[in-house]
Amino acid sequence: MEERIGVFVCHCGSNIAGVVDVKRVAEELGKYPGVAHSTDYTYMCSDPGQNLVKDAIKEHNLTGVIVAACSPTLHEATFRRAGRVAGVNPYQVEIANIREHCSWVHQGEKEAATEKAIKIIKTMVEKARLDEALDPISVPMTHKALVVGAGIAGIQAALDIANAGHEVVLVEKSPSVGGHMAQLSETFPTLDCSQCIMTPKMVEVSQHPRINLMTYSEIDDVAGFVGNFKVKIRKKAAYVDRDACTGCGVCVEKCPVKTESEFDEGLAMRKAIYTPFPQAVPNKPVLDPEHCTYFLKDGKCGICQKVCPVGCVDYEQKDEIIEEEVGAIVVATGYDLYPIENMGEYGGGKYADVITGLQFERMLSASGPTEGEVRRPSDGKEPKEIVFLTCCGSRDPEAHMPYCSKVCCMYLTKHAMLYKHKVHDGQAYVFYMDVRTAGKGYEEFYTRAAEEDDVLYIRGKVSKIYEEDGKVMVWGVDTLTGKKVEIAADMAVLGLATVPNVAAKKLANKLKIHTDEWGFLAEAHPKLRPVESLAPGFYLAGAAQGPKDIPEAVAQASGAASKVAHLFAEEEYHREPIIAWIDEDTCAGCRVCISVCPYDAAEFDEENGIAKIQEAICEGCGACIAACPSASAQQRNLTDEQVYKMVSAALEG
Amino acid sequence: MYEPRIVCFFCKWCTYAGADLAGTSRKQYPPNGVVVRVNCSGRIDPQHVLWAFREGADGVLIGGCHPGDCHYQDGNYKTMRRVTFLKRMLSDMGIEPERLRLEWISAAEGEKLVHVMSDFVDEVKSLGALELGLTGEKGNGGAAKAPAKKKPAVKAKAAGKKTTAKKTGKKAKPAARKAR
């Protein structure tokens, strides 16, 4: 079919017409091959202007439209709509930018600007001549979300999505929901008890009719794409039928084996069959075969099974794989602390009285191993002097992590303050590089610690910690006075760097979502798309994306949930059709496109030995097209042929 | 006076928007360049650049997002590697590598766009018109001669041969000029 392109040159008042000879432009274009109609008008975007376009489409039976006007960012959508109404496919309506790229920037050169405007329009005519009629790609969608990780971010995301009316599968790898927040004593800057604000949410998430909570479970595999993910979830063998279990706790009580409690960060013991903490949700035990005598000594013991009144201990239980179909995935896999063993200069992992921030949290917690009393781990005595160290592993590009972990200044300030509230005659020292208090009420909190609770802040880094005479000797320097500081302390608390959860890194690989060099999940845009992954259908929440405090994690989770709700607002998933496609006849199956695709949208079709593009995933960047050695990869409505023709038109005359 | 003809391949997220900003700020620059909008600078095939020179361009300007800012993760890094290689190839063909320029111009850098445009036009002016001594018709006739959709398997090499084979008049020694 012969193309019949209409060219509509806008004056934009005098914005264009004051520089460009619009009459001449319209006249010149009228003679150009493929152009069936060419005219000009004062304000093409006005109602009469749009009607002029619509009428001309009908009258001249146009197959394509070029509006020569302002930048396409302004009115491309307007004229595409007008085109559709009048019977031209929206993707065959193009804008020639003769205002921002011509009349406004060549105001003193009327002749040259007019010539340039003609060239610009010709390039777009050449493009339009080869434009195909396209429809947005519609993909069916499962209106159910998967949330991975049930810390505060995952819980919040799951609740928000469920409350928006959608089904949620919430998967947590440990036996209980709650994450690190459940371990905390009190929260800065309000000092409200973490458990008190956390447990109601934990209960709500477990009882919500639209949330299917799967604890002690992990993601085995994810296939598919946005709207249509197929997820395999491994429900780990708990050796307890947790549905039948009443949570009476007799098995835990009678179990003879003790091992270090993960929840209490090794400061207390738990049994081999255990619930991680008294408020755990679900409050049902799991059996840890790595420490259980029954598993270690070929069936000896078996006490828990004998004492269980409902007979739900099952040593033969196996991992179970559960398949779920979901449309969106929120990744909220949280953080870990940088290993204390890596802080060799501070005796990390070597001295009992050099502990992590999370261990100190457990110690301060009323439900913790010391019931809120501050005690030295080595001898159980009350410490009279404690040194708190910020930036242990953070902001240290040579030896550790280069980034700021963001929360350590604040939680160590909180620690120092809570310590003083419990040990009135004690002295708290905080070594700092800078005290970073960027948050609502944070600066005031820090000031209160320094002024009311007499926490002594020393600006400088600690160079070494060693043990001497039952004391923890801290060597540092006060960079404000330039003097060496030596403190014979009873305890040292390290504000270790926040790093991505170890399991989360593996999971990111499985999900094929990008991470930064440290393993934090990468957002689609650092400013404007902070809760989405670059891979469509994946959303990010909480510290998995970068160090953050509780309010930030909650805000991001709600943001991610609203993005999911936004996605689910439509029956089907629609996307721009300006994407890549592969010519099956010429593709040699070299797989170069697969290696350059940032989205894993190009995949290999084993059966036919060629590459193919998954339409639902392709974002239309064109990387595969530039890389394809046989030009088999092409972009819809921006094929190489179109580019060549546009270039030729730009150089004409 | 010779006015250079320049083709500008601008990515739609950064440099194209930077050129829009130059417009809305009414900054003035020479009218020698015509913009071809692409989704990403990584979409630009070296053949597009060679084609532009063949069709009579005196200079080709590629504009992309700053490193780390690519809307598509790393398309601009791909461009950077391609351009480095392509400049060497141009040099081998007797085309001054300075006629191809890659610039990172963000959507906020209208001022930079103006500066780059003006500077590039000046540079290409000082190099003089590009004369490849091609036989046959230039200009719109190219439409018929645009590389067939099915390109030879090793396209860069093939394209290189095509142009060098037809080259007659030798330009100034490209080796003497350092690529930017």
Side-chain angles (χ1 to χ4, degrees):
Chain A
M1 189 184 77
E2 200 184 324
E3 319 83 37
R4 298 178 57 79
I5 312 277
V7 175
F8 301 87
V9 185
C10 179
H11 300 191
C12 195
S14 62
N15 281 306
I16 294 170
V19 179
V20 170
D21 182 347
V22 284
K23 296 278 176 209
R24 200 182 116 203
V25 170
E27 198 180 309
E28 282 280 324
L29 263 299
K31 297 181 222 154
Y32 197 73
V35 177
H37 175 70
S38 179
T39 188
D40 60 285
Y41 186 69
T42 341
Y43 287 107
M44 210 58 86
C45 60
S46 67
D47 265 352
Q50 289 189 47
N51 287 335
L52 183 143
V53 176
K54 289 181 204 163
D55 293 344
I57 289 172
K58 289 172 191 154
E59 191 186 334
H60 299 278
N61 200 15
L62 300 178
T63 58
V65 168
I66 307 295
V67 179
C70 51
S71 169
T73 50
L74 294 160
H75 282 307
E76 189 176 69
T78 313
F79 291 109
R80 286 192 163 172
R81 254 195 319 270
R84 188 174 54 209
V85 171
V88 170
N89 183 282
Y91 295 96
Q92 293 176 309
V93 176
E94 300 281 1
I95 304 288
N97 184 348
I98 60 164
R99 192 180 74 175
E100 281 82 348
H101 287 193
C102 190
S103 70
W104 274 353
V105 288
H106 312 308
Q107 287 174 334
E109 300 170 87
K110 295 193 174 180
E111 176 58 29
T114 304
E115 289 295 332
K116 179 172 167 178
I118 293 171
K119 284 187 191 172
I120 293 174
I121 302 169
K122 284 180 180 174
T123 63
M124 297 318 290
V125 172
E126 288 299 343
K127 179 175 190 301
R129 289 177 76 178
L130 292 169
D131 275 347
E132 296 173 71
L134 298 174
D135 289 314
I137 297 164
S138 297
V139 191
M141 181 157 54
T142 310
H143 291 70
K144 188 186 214 179
L146 169 72
V147 178
V148 187
I152 183 59
I155 288 176
Q156 186 67 44
L159 286 174
D160 285 356
I161 296 167
N163 287 335
H166 306 292
E167 297 285 324
V168 178
V169 181
L170 176 59
V171 174
E172 167 58 46
K173 71 177 187 320
S174 55
S176 169
V177 302
H180 283 307
M181 189 178 162
Q183 289 180 290
L184 306 184
S185 53
E186 289 167 18
T187 55
F188 62 78
T190 48
L191 293 188
D192 42 1
C193 139
S194 182
Q195 292 268 350
C196 312
I197 53 178
M198 186 69 179
T199 35
K201 277 193 183 291
M202 289 161 57
V203 173
E204 194 184 345
V205 89
S206 71
Q207 293 179 350
H208 200 291
R210 279 190 287 272
I211 297 176
N212 172 14
L213 174 62
M214 296 176 67
T215 52
Y216 213 49
S217 300
E218 286 178 15
I219 304 299
D220 235 28
D221 187 46
V222 174
F225 46 85
V226 55
N228 297 277
F229 293 108
K230 288 192 172 57
V231 188
K232 284 189 182 144
I233 302 162
R234 177 179 296 270
K235 203 170 163 194
K236 293 183 280 188
Y239 305 102
V240 173
D241 178 351
R242 296 179 94 203
D243 294 327
C245 170
T246 58
C248 70
V250 176
C251 55
V252 179
E253 200 185 310
K254 301 290 182 194
C255 174
V257 181
K258 282 188 174 178
T259 180
E260 280 185 2
S261 155
E262 294 86 359
F263 185 80
D264 282 324
E265 296 288 327
L267 292 179
M269 305 304 268
R270 65 157 169 86
K271 299 292 182 66
I273 188 164
Y274 69 106
T275 47
F277 54 105
Q279 305 90 332
V281 172
N283 207 335
K284 313 256 174 103
V286 296
L287 188 149
D288 162 15
E290 280 175 29
H291 295 96
C292 171
T293 313
Y294 182 90
F295 283 90
L296 297 175
K297 293 189 178 162
D298 291 332
K300 289 188 182 135
C301 189
I303 292 176
C304 48
Q305 194 173 50
K306 282 173 214 145
V307 299
C308 178
V310 288
C312 66
V313 175
D314 173 10
Y315 299 123
E316 304 303 316
Q317 205 178 66
K318 296 269 177 289
D319 287 4
E320 201 182 329
I321 304 290
I322 291 163
E323 292 191 21
E324 284 279 356
E325 290 189 5
V326 297
I329 300 177
V330 179
V331 190
T333 42
Y335 71 96
D336 272 339
L337 289 185
Y338 190 60
I340 193 168
E341 294 75 22
N342 290 6
M343 307 307 295
E345 65 271 40
Y346 300 159
K350 199 163 92 185
Y351 305 142
D353 295 331
V354 176
I355 64 171
T356 71
L358 272 178
Q359 287 176 318
F360 201 63
E361 289 286 349
R362 291 313 301 147
M363 205 179 269
L364 292 169
S365 169
S367 62
T370 57
E371 291 173 342
E373 303 282 316
V374 183
R375 296 279 180 239
R376 267 159 60 107
S378 59
D379 55 13
K381 285 187 187 151
E382 187 176 76
K384 294 296 176 194
E385 284 183 280
I386 302 190
V387 177
F388 298 91
L389 284 73
T390 65
C391 297
C392 294
S394 306
R395 301 179 69 195
D396 191 348
E398 277 83 33
H400 306 288
M401 300 297 169
Y403 54 82
C404 168
S405 291
K406 205 165 182 181
V407 288
C408 330
C409 286
M410 289 309 296
Y411 78 67
L412 291 173
T413 293
K414 174 191 76 181
H415 284 173
M417 201 184 240
L418 291 175
Y419 164 66
K420 288 286 292 183
H421 293 178
K422 289 171 194 278
V423 183
H424 303 305
D425 60 343
Q427 180 61 54
Y429 305 89
V430 178
F431 276 91
Y432 69 98
M433 283 164 72
D434 301 286
V435 181
R436 295 187 165 173
T437 59
K440 201 170 171 182
Y442 291 7
E443 177 67 16
E444 296 89 324
F445 185 74
Y446 156 60
T447 312
R448 214 169 91 206
E451 290 175 0
E452 290 176 24
D453 292 311
D454 298 321
V455 175
L456 193 61
Y457 282 84
I458 304 165
R459 189 179 196 282
K461 267 206 108 161
V462 170
S463 58
K464 192 180 175 182
I465 296 180
Y466 61 98
E467 274 186 338
E468 196 176 274
D469 302 332
K471 292 273 185 188
V472 174
M473 304 298 291
V474 180
W475 273 15
V477 68
D478 181 342
T479 54
L480 297 180
T481 61
K483 287 195 174 128
K484 274 200 230 165
V485 182
E486 201 180 325
I487 300 166
D490 297 307
M491 249 172 90
V493 178
L494 307 188
L496 292 164
T498 297
V499 295
N501 190 303
V502 182
K505 285 188 199 171
K506 285 185 204 146
L507 180 67
N509 280 339
K510 245 178 228 171
L511 301 179
K512 297 190 193 105
I513 56 175
H514 292 280
T515 58
D516 66 12
E517 57 187 313
W518 314 110
F520 288 116
L521 302 175
E523 60 279 8
H525 188 281
K527 313 282 184 301
L528 299 178
R529 294 174 68 195
V531 304
E532 294 158 81
S533 162
L534 201 65
F538 290 95
Y539 302 88
L540 319 174
Q545 182 249 343
K548 49 176 70 64
D549 58 25
I550 295 165
E552 280 179 332
V554 170
Q556 198 188 17
S558 288
S562 97
K563 286 283 174 191
V564 172
H566 178 171
L567 177 74
F568 287 174
E570 298 278 341
E571 242 348 270
E572 294 187 309
Y573 176 63
H574 302 285
R575 44 205 328 278
E576 279 282 293
I578 310 298
I579 56 165
W581 55 278
I582 305 272
D583 185 334
E584 294 177 5
D585 295 336
T586 56
C587 173
C590 74
R591 306 183 199 214
V592 165
C593 51
I594 297 169
S595 70
V596 298
C597 179
Y599 304 96
D600 290 321
E603 61 173 12
F604 197 67
D605 175 351
E606 294 288 348
E607 201 181 314
N608 298 306
I610 55 169
K612 73 179 189 207
I613 304 289
Q614 301 179 72
E615 290 198 338
I617 305 177
C618 175
E619 290 279 312
C621 69
C624 56
I625 303 157
C628 176
S630 63
S632 301
Q634 286 299 332
Q635 186 158 25
R636 299 219 182 271
N637 285 0
L638 194 66
T639 60
D640 282 338
E641 198 183 352
Q642 282 175 302
V643 176
Y644 291 129
K645 295 238 164 111
M646 289 170 81
V647 167
S648 300
L651 294 165
E652 226 181 277
Chain B
M1 171 75 190
Y2 145 74
E3 280 297 339
R5 294 192 291 182
I6 290 169
V7 174
C8 309
F9 293 104
F10 286 172
C11 97
K12 78 174 202 180
W13 301 99
C14 289
T15 312
Y16 191 93
D20 279 354
L21 178 63
T24 41
S25 329
R26 309 295 201 280
K27 310 260 189 218
Q28 303 297 302
Y29 57 83
N32 304 60
V34 173
V35 177
V36 173
R37 183 170 73 146
V38 287
N39 278 17
C40 175
S41 61
R43 165 74 182 87
I44 298 157
D45 188 321
Q47 288 233 130
H48 298 159
V49 177
L50 296 176
W51 178 253
F53 285 126
R54 190 200 177 283
E55 287 289 277
D58 300 300
V60 173
L61 176 62
I62 298 176
C65 308
H66 283 268
D69 288 353
C70 178
H71 186 82
Y72 304 105
Q73 195 95 19
D74 57 3
N76 49 0
Y77 289 100
K78 294 178 179 120
T79 314
M80 189 158 66
R81 289 196 290 268
R82 279 190 193 119
V83 167
T84 309
F85 171 70
L86 190 54
K87 274 171 175 283
R88 235 165 47 206
M89 228 171 84
L90 289 176
S91 171
D92 290 347
M93 292 173 177
I95 298 173
E96 297 87 341
E98 294 85 345
R99 291 187 188 273
L100 170 62
R101 194 187 272 198
L102 170 64
E103 290 279 355
W104 310 132
I105 301 171
S106 80
E109 293 176 326
E111 188 72 53
K112 181 173 180 185
L113 181 118
V114 170
H115 173 78
V116 166
M117 277 286 206
S118 311
D119 187 65
F120 190 52
V121 169
D122 283 348
E123 182 165 22
V124 177
K125 257 186 195 164
S126 75
L127 290 170
L130 176 64
E131 285 182 31
L132 294 169
L134 292 171
T135 51
E137 205 184 339
K138 269 210 294 191
N140 197 34
K145 287 192 224 87
K149 200 188 75 61
K150 284 152 202 155
K151 285 184 267 178
V154 190
K155 60 180 170 179
K157 205 171 153 195
K161 269 186 195 151
K162 191 164 112 194
T163 323
T164 38
K166 289 177 184 167
K167 178 173 60 105
T168 51
K170 241 211 152 94
K171 299 292 297 181
K173 279 172 238 121
R177 287 206 189 87
K178 260 264 187 253
R180 286 182 80 252

